[in-house]
Amino acid sequence: MTDIAETPRKETLDKDLDKIVNVEEAANLVARGLVAPGFGLLFLALTAVFTAIYTSGEPGAVAIVAAAAIGAYLALNIGANDVANNVGPAVGAKAMTMAGALVIAAIFEAAGALIAGGDVVETISGGIVSPQSIADPGIFIRLMIAALVSSALWINLATLIGAPVSTTHSVVGGVLGATVAAAGFAAVNWPLVGSIALSWIVSPALGGLIAVVFLAFLKTTVIYQDDKIAAARRWVPLLIALMAGSFIAYLALKGGARVLPLSGPTIALSGLATFVVAWLAASRYVARRARGMENRNQSLRQLFNLPLIAAAALLSFAHGANDVSNAVGPVAAIVRAARGGVEPGAVAVPLWVMLIGAFGIALGLLLFGPRLIRMVGERITRLNPMRAFCVALSTALTVIVASQLGLPVSSTHIAIGAIFGVGFFREWYTANSRRRRAYLERKAARDRAARNASGTATARADPDNGDELVPVSREEANRRRLVRRAHVTTIVAAWVTTVPISALLAAAIFAAIGLF
């Protein structure tokens, strides 16, 4: 009787203990989710305290402290959103781990920002606004704070919905909206705004086209050759050398010019010299790595891993050098306005402001970057090292071509456009590949008796990888398209609405600041 009486109490105790354990696990899960926001808030608080101590007693100290904290918030969001385009393809291609990508990107982003991150930035965001139309320092400071807040909020929202957007366009939209609210439509340089809007189409289209050209070249000259390894020894060093030369020119255009200004011919010669040296080095590297490799596509991927890691590092360096000005430029302009008024021309960025931007981008990447890195590298379309290499090479070449044509392009739009291009080209190639059709004919002959009653069997293939073609239903094949349309729609919609939403937010924030 005693055993019978104690059994229910023991079962009840076990259930209560299980509930406690489940509550503890849930609490730990919630706590882990709050770690990153906690560190982000700590960074903002430390930035505000440091700025308050550094600028104590100066005129406009309150505005400078507020601008520094908001600039730090914008820098965190730039790191969380924009840096994914540099390392996402390499992570998606399994050329590097997420942890390795975060560390490399954080180091090179900070290095690019501090070494080549723009000693000067144009007052009022690169000529979008006429300085003469906003001569009052108080109005100017309100305008810049509104632009900072609106662009940071929009990039934060884009990160939450998984849409990589252009931080440059976000800041441009913020400045545009606040300027219209402050001085009317006449104060805006509309031709420049029109050229920026044109880049929404030019950037992704050009990036996708160049990536497709290189992927088609790889398929023709290497992937579908009978002796893949011999073909790789011939052509892969050439592609690696082209990437190296392109990146030297890319860095010179995007960030190096601020350290050592070079003329166009000098940049071209530097790129050519790098191409020759890299070709010789890559030939030895590929020959050594290819020795003893099996004649299959899986082996080819190993040849692109190291170049992909180098490309991710160089892209991060160039991005840090170029885009840190989006966070620190308005802050530096506010500092100068608070100290001495609004003047046309360029404004020097104090070192302490540059440090806020550099470390903010690196910290934002480490804390919040994985979400967008996975989106770019894995969820839009499936990437392998060869496709990711085409994306990286396309990004560098497109920036060079666009710079020579005088087109204001976004590296974010270029990289994502290249991923779109690679994915849609694979869809087209899969549907029109002779290899695929020949396989289906053979498979139909062998498995005719096993077909289901509907007779709608088709097949799914990945000719880039040399995967075996697996029969699936036509409905399933449509569902498994190589480019996920939902992500494409979300990203394109975010691109189109970046400037309008940032502008409307900035106008509303400018008006709200005026009320208080």
Side-chain angles (χ1 to χ4, degrees), residues 107-126:
I107 292 173
F108 280 87
E109 284 280 339
L114 294 174
I115 295 173
D119 296 323
V120 294
V121 292
E122 289 299 318
T123 304
I124 320 182
S125 191

Side-chain angles (χ1 to χ4, degrees), residues 41 49 55 95 113 137 163 173 193 217 275 278 301 303 323 334 368 381 391 397 432 446 485 488 512 515:
L41 289 174
V49 171
T55 61
V193 174
F217 178 82
F275 172 85
R301 301 179 188 182
L303 302 177
D323 279 26
I334 290 171
F368 308 105
T381 191
V391 170
L397 286 176
N432 295 276
R446 292 195 304 266
R485 268 50 173 184
V488 174
L515 294 177

Side-chain angles (χ1 to χ4, degrees), residues 126-200:
I128 293 174
V129 182
S130 171
Q132 291 78 10
S133 61
I134 314 247
D136 186 338
I139 294 178
F140 178 81
I141 290 173
R142 283 172 53 196
L143 184 154
M144 282 297 173
I145 288 179
L148 280 171
V149 174
S150 67
S151 55
L153 289 174
W154 168 243
I155 296 170
N156 197 340
L157 176 61
T159 302
L160 291 176
I161 65 176
V165 297
S166 169
T167 55
T168 302
H169 290 181
S170 302
V171 174
V172 166
V175 173
L176 176 65
T179 301
V180 171
F185 288 92
V188 177
N189 183 350
W190 291 108
L192 180 58
V193 174
S195 65
I196 292 173
L198 180 63
S199 73
W200 295 340

Side-chain angles (χ1 to χ4, degrees), residues 83 101-111 316 358 361-363 365-366:
V83 181
L102 292 173
V103 171
I104 289 175
I107 292 173
F108 280 87
E109 284 280 339
S316 298
I361 291 176
L363 185 62
L365 166 69
L366 291 172

Side-chain angles (χ1 to χ4, degrees), residues 35-280:
V35 169
F39 276 109
L41 289 174
L42 179 62
F43 173 68
L44 300 186
L46 291 176
T47 298
V49 171
F50 166 78
T51 307
I53 295 173
Y54 188 82
T55 61
S56 177
E58 291 190 15
V62 175
I64 295 175
V65 171
I70 298 168
Y73 174 51
L74 176 56
L76 286 173
N77 284 288
I78 291 174
N81 187 288
D82 215 14
V83 181
N85 310 306
N86 305 326
V87 298
V91 173
K94 304 298 187 293
M96 56 199 309
T97 63
M98 177 65 74
L102 292 173
V103 171
I104 289 175
I107 292 173
F108 280 87
E109 284 280 339
L114 294 174
I115 295 173
D119 296 323
V120 294
V121 292
E122 289 299 318
T123 304
I124 320 182
S125 191
I128 293 174
V129 182
S130 171
Q132 291 78 10
S133 61
I134 314 247
D136 186 338
I139 294 178
F140 178 81
I141 290 173
R142 283 172 53 196
L143 184 154
M144 282 297 173
I145 288 179
L148 280 171
V149 174
S150 67
S151 55
L153 289 174
W154 168 243
I155 296 170
N156 197 340
L157 176 61
T159 302
L160 291 176
I161 65 176
V165 297
S166 169
T167 55
T168 302
H169 290 181
S170 302
V171 174
V172 166
V175 173
L176 176 65
T179 301
V180 171
F185 288 92
V188 177
N189 183 350
W190 291 108
L192 180 58
V193 174
S195 65
I196 292 173
L198 180 63
S199 73
W200 295 340
I201 302 173
V202 174
S203 296
L206 193 57
L209 177 62
I210 294 177
V212 166
V213 168
F214 281 107
L215 183 57
F217 178 82
L218 271 174
K219 285 177 176 292
T220 303
T221 60
V222 179
I223 294 174
Y224 290 135
Q225 292 295 311
D226 292 333
D227 191 341
K228 302 176 190 297
I229 305 304
R233 289 195 188 100
R234 183 182 307 112
W235 294 110
V236 172
L238 176 66
L239 293 174
I240 293 176
L242 181 60
M243 185 191 74
S246 300
F247 269 111
I248 291 298
Y250 175 81
L251 291 172
L253 289 170
K254 296 289 281 183
R258 300 183 179 106
V259 178
L260 181 63
L262 300 175
S263 63
T266 304
I267 292 175
L269 287 175
S270 300
L272 181 61
T274 304
F275 172 85
V276 174
V277 173
W279 194 358
L280 296 174

Side-chain angles (χ1 to χ4, degrees), residues 472-487:
V472 296
S473 70
R474 183 167 300 157
E475 292 77 9
E476 179 70 5
N478 290 331
R479 191 181 68 82
R480 295 181 181 180
R481 285 175 173 173
L482 300 182
V483 180
R484 293 182 175 89
R485 268 50 173 184
H487 295 320

